[in-house]
Structures are given as structure tokens and as C-alpha cells.
Amino acid sequence: MKRIGVLTSGGDAPGMNAAVRAVVRKAIFQNIEVYGVYGGYAGLMGGNIKKLELGSVGDIIHRGGTVLYSARSEEFKTKEGQQKGIEQLKKFGIDGLVVIGGDGSYRGAKALTEQGYPCVGVPGTIDNDIPGTEFTIGFDTALNTVIDAIDKIRDTATSHERTFVIEVMGRNAGDIALWAGLAGGAETILIPEEKHSMEEIAERLKKGQERGKKHSIIVVAEGVMSGVDFGREIEKLTDFDTRVSVLGHMQRGGSPTAFDRVLASRLGARAVELLIEGNGGRAVGMEKNQMVDYDIIEALAKEHHLDLNLYKLSKELSI
Ligand code: F6P
């Protein structure tokens, strides 16, 4: 392994830059050249590839977004697109590729691996929905952004005695909703992994009001339904003054937390080690605070499991 490439793909996540920095610095430390692929898989197919030096990744550890830019590419889902990518990698003499991203990015890395090109996946997404790792890069920062928003919304909810529905991201996973709802003291949390009954929720809200509760915070994962639709349902079933906040893309931005920076540094460096050891076709993760790696092809066949004990706890604590 003389030369490796690194790209970020899919939705950006805070901490991706820290991961890129770790890949570049770890590789150079091991006398390996690093090339940055700009603009995800679309950039790879177009040959948007430049050499990175130690200084290229200076002053980025604390920045949100990704200095390598990102994209979602339909073309790269095709065999032709993947071949174009491999040709570019060969043209630049790149022997292995680190792909930082979510499940779509892993699918791309899996396709390259199946065609004999060594790739290592690093889990970078705010959704925390990648199997084989307890946490993905960006999840902790997004969580803190959501909690900050919930705390602020709570002030208004209390002052105006309102019910607030807060819609959070997560695609088909409920991790952001669950963790943020628990940490933000939400009365109700709706996640795609668990069924809910509108009548039961309305009943809980009414009971809370009878006990003297002046406001309620409900966190809805986008994978369940839109916050606006949910707010309408609540208003139909109760006489509560309801407002909806859709947090949207603010959840993806901002300076990464210390946790995400450390996680990204560890995962990025481990990915380089794997390529050096000749272990392409792997994905890295963290389990019980230890770096782990597993077959990227098998990884995508597995399902991410949200911690349902936390869901149970959130219900017990919000009676
Ligand atoms: O995967 C990250 C994520 O932010 C999801 O939570 C969300 O569903 C999706 O990306 C939004 O994608 P886009 O930025 O393309 O609208």
C-alpha cells in the first residue's frame, strides 16, 4: 500500500473532517501518500482527486461539514458508474480507499469491494443507523444540537402552556429521537421501531394536564410521520394549543463535540491500519469503547438495532 484515497459521501456529519484528518495524518505517519476525492462518488467518477499533505487537514478538526464535500450519486449505483470510479483510482495509482459516510456510502464501498477494489468503510452519519458500531460519527453532535433546541422550546412551551411537537431527523432510525427525547425530558417519544397509538398518546397528555402539567414536549422521528401531521392529529383528539418545530438540517451542522472528534480520530486511523494490513472490504466501528472491524458485505446484510431498553426507560421516566 503506497497510496490511499479518502472520500466523504452521503449526508455530511459533524466529525467527518476529524476523520479525514485522522486518515491523512495516520497514513503520512506511515509513509503512505494520501489523495482526497472531492464530492463523494460523483467526484470519484469525474476524477476530482487531489493529493493531500499534512497541512491540507490543518485547522479542520473543529469544523462541521466536510472539506472534501459530499454528494449522493445515482450513477454510482450502476456497474458502469462503479467501473468509472475504479478506472480513476487506478489512473491516480491509488491502492485502497477509505469511505466515510452512511449506509448509501457503504453500499458504494461494498460494490467496489465486490469488484476487487479494497475499501474500508468509516461510519459517518448523524442517524446512528450503521450496524456494527454503537455510535456513528456525528450522532453525538446532532443529539446535542437537538437537546439545545428542546431546552429552548421548553421555555416557550412552559410560558404559553403549549404542547410542542418537535420533528427530528434519523431517516428510518429512531436513535436521534430516542436519545434526544430521553435527554430532553420529553413526555412522549415516537420512533419507527415501536408502534404507537394516537388515542393512547392523547390520553397520556390529558392525564398529564389533569395532574397540573402545563406543557408537553413530544419528539417525533421523521421516519414515523411528519411533525405537522402529528400535531394535527393531536389537535383533533385534544383541545391543546399545539405548535410544531421541524428542526431539519440544523441537526447536521456545527462544530463536532469532543466525543465525535475522538471517535472520528480513532475510526479514521483504524481504517488506515486495516488497509496497510491488507484488509480491504472491512468496515470499522466502536463496540464497548474498543475499535472493531467487520466484513463490509456482511455488515450491510445486518440490521441496526436501537437500544429498546432506553425506550422503556424513557417511558418509565415520563409518566
Ligand atoms: O442521513 C442523514 C440525513 O440527514 C437524514 O437524517 C435525513 O433523512 C436525510 O439525511 C436528509 O437528506 P437530504 O440532506 O438529502 O435532504
Side-chain angles (χ1 to χ4, degrees):
M1 196 67 49
K2 295 246 172 324
R3 190 176 281 177
I4 64 166
V6 53
L7 66 76
T8 51
S9 154
D12 64 329
M16 277 184 164
N17 283 330
V20 171
R21 173 182 177 271
V23 169
V24 172
R25 297 258 165 110
K26 177 77 183 185
I28 294 177
F29 183 76
Q30 303 280 359
N31 293 319
I32 291 170
E33 288 182 348
V34 195
Y35 280 68
V37 179
Y38 289 79
Y41 290 119
L44 175 62
M45 290 181 292
N48 194 356
I49 299 172
K50 288 181 200 106
K51 189 165 186 222
L52 298 173
E53 308 290 352
L54 286 177
S56 316
V57 291
D59 204 23
I60 66 166
I61 196 167
H62 61 296
R63 293 205 196 144
T66 160
V67 292
L68 292 181
Y69 304 104
S70 193
R72 302 191 200 277
S73 167
E74 282 304 311
E75 192 187 348
F76 199 72
K77 290 181 185 160
T78 66
K79 273 251 151 43
E80 296 71 39
Q82 292 151 16
Q83 273 310 316
K84 265 194 208 172
I86 291 178
E87 275 160 30
Q88 290 293 349
L89 288 164
K90 286 189 177 153
K91 189 171 127 195
F92 282 84
I94 297 169
D95 309 311
L97 183 67
V98 177
V99 173
I100 305 165
D103 56 353
S105 317
Y106 270 36
R107 262 180 263 284
K110 173 176 173 264
L112 293 181
T113 300
E114 281 169 339
Q115 290 171 54
Y117 192 86
C119 281
V120 174
V122 174
T125 167
I126 63 164
D127 300 337
N128 206 39
D129 60 350
I130 304 286
T133 188
E134 269 162 339
F135 298 107
T136 57
I137 297 165
F139 173 63
D140 184 65
T141 308
L143 205 53
N144 280 285
T145 302
V146 175
I147 290 163
D148 190 40
I150 293 178
D151 290 349
K152 285 178 174 145
I153 288 169
R154 183 183 285 283
D155 290 344
T156 303
T158 315
S159 307
H160 288 265
E161 303 187 14
R162 279 176 182 162
T163 296
F164 261 93
V165 176
I166 304 173
E167 182 195 307
V168 300
M169 281 186 166
R171 208 179 284 276
N172 301 316
D175 294 56
I176 297 180
L178 176 56
W179 284 69
L182 180 60
E187 275 71 28
T188 302
I189 302 170
L190 266 74
I191 53 173
E193 292 83 351
E194 285 289 297
K195 288 201 176 69
H196 69 273
S197 140
M198 287 308 298
E199 287 70 28
E200 208 179 284
I201 292 168
E203 222 27 62
R204 264 164 76 90
L205 291 174
K206 284 181 199 158
K207 284 217 177 92
Q209 192 189 43
E210 281 159 23
R211 276 199 292 117
K213 267 193 166 183
K214 300 277 185 227
H215 68 272
S216 284
I217 302 278
I218 302 172
V219 178
V220 182
E222 65 175 354
V224 175
M225 65 160 88
S226 91
V228 173
D229 288 345
F230 184 78
R232 279 202 199 105
E233 293 286 316
I234 289 294
E235 283 198 322
K236 265 193 233 157
L237 296 170
T238 66
D239 57 356
F240 294 161
D241 189 15
T242 306
R243 294 288 188 279
V244 178
S245 277
V246 179
L247 301 186
H249 285 81
M250 67 179 292
Q251 293 161 92
R252 289 238 296 263
S255 179
T257 57
F259 180 87
D260 274 331
R261 296 181 201 192
V262 172
L263 178 67
S265 301
R266 294 176 76 188
L267 291 172
R270 183 67 193 126
V272 174
E273 280 171 4
L274 285 171
L275 283 178
I276 293 172
E277 290 161 11
N279 286 320
R282 311 291 292 170
V284 291
M286 187 179 78
E287 299 283 359
K288 300 192 173 77
N289 201 25
Q290 297 301 314
M291 291 296 99
V292 293
D293 60 273
Y294 46 92
D295 189 289
I296 198 165
I297 293 171
E298 281 170 20
L300 281 168
K302 286 193 201 147
E303 264 183 52
H304 157 71
H305 291 292
L306 158 146
D307 186 351
L308 285 174
N309 286 327
L310 277 189
Y311 184 68
K312 199 168 148 262
L313 178 65
S314 76
K315 285 206 133 180
E316 289 168 1
L317 300 187
S318 62
I319 45 170

